[in-house]
Amino acid sequence: MAENNSTDFGYKTVPTSEKAGMVAGVFHSVAAKYDLMNDLMSMGIHRLWKRFTIDLSGVRPGQKVLDLAGGTGDLAAKFARIVGDNGEVVLADINDSMLNVGKEKLRNLGIVGNVRFVQANAECLPFPDNHFDLITIAFGLRNVTDKAAALKSMQRVLKPGGRLLVLEFSKPQNMLLTQAYDIYSFKVLPAMGKLVAGDSESYQYLAESIRMHPDQETLKSMMFDAGFDEVEYHNLTGGIVALHRGFKF
């Protein structure tokens, strides 16, 4: 990533001040078909990745959960049922189009009352210190301009004893898988995006943003630097996705 006043937007270098708006444009474009494209792109495997995240969350009734970059609410819906009426789930996203899709989806599922929807920037979260028992960010960290600032902000609002789970695309651990994944990402995904969502450029950006995201060990180090303890990660689907977990003590 370029330093100072520039940063990456996929494979492009853009002014740091413009990235958030450019990412917002991508997600305004894809919001309406986001869930459908997730199922198509991952052949439904994203549901297994998210289920594993729930399993490692350790969340219990009555707890407070922040689902950051929560988009259309897949994780928030599961957490809302677990924490129950005495708990709270905050579904936060920087993009209002994604939040609106998430609101409608959770209402249609009958999930109301213990979920709040907050438009928020991960780099400067509008929540008190030591507030949440659990924070999750699934497929959102790679779109954040200043990832180090976002991780520190998450650490600040997490209670002592709480945990952070970062579910994100990562680096495949096998060369043949890497080659096949590259072909799929740069040939199939943009074509699928054009066919289904009428937008190939946004899916080209998403493929590029995955390649620019820190690999497993780099992200682990970044979480330690942000103040998390006992950081570990689990490679899923050969490392195409990794789930990082860290604690605040």
Side-chain angles (χ1 to χ4, degrees), residues 29-44:
S29 175
V30 305
K33 296 287 181 69
Y34 186 79
D35 284 341
L36 173 61
M37 283 297 294
N38 271 354
D39 280 332
L40 291 174
M41 287 188 302
S42 73
M43 294 169 282

Side-chain angles (χ1 to χ4, degrees), residues 56-153:
L56 259 64
S57 71
V59 71
R60 299 188 301 277
Q63 290 191 324
K64 290 187 172 111
V65 177
L66 173 60
D67 182 20
L68 189 55
T72 58
D74 279 353
L75 288 176
K78 303 285 189 187
F79 287 134
R81 292 190 170 113
I82 295 171
V83 302
D85 293 340
N86 293 324
E88 182 184 54
V89 176
V90 176
L91 196 170
D93 202 292
I94 198 171
N95 187 281
D96 60 344
S97 295
M98 297 290 283
L99 269 182
N100 288 333
V101 172
K103 285 180 187 177
E104 182 178 2
K105 180 176 176 180
L106 266 62
R107 278 198 299 263
N108 290 341
L109 291 170
I111 298 172
V112 294
N114 68 343
V115 179
R116 282 199 295 135
F117 299 88
V118 176
Q119 188 169 358
N121 185 334
E123 297 172 26
C124 46
L125 292 170
F127 306 112
D129 294 358
N130 307 316
H131 188 70
F132 294 100
D133 299 285
L134 170 71
I135 300 174
T136 57
I137 179 166
F139 306 114
L141 186 60
R142 72 180 188 279
N143 297 308
V144 173
T145 303
D146 189 338
K147 296 173 182 60
L151 290 169
K152 287 178 183 176
S153 187

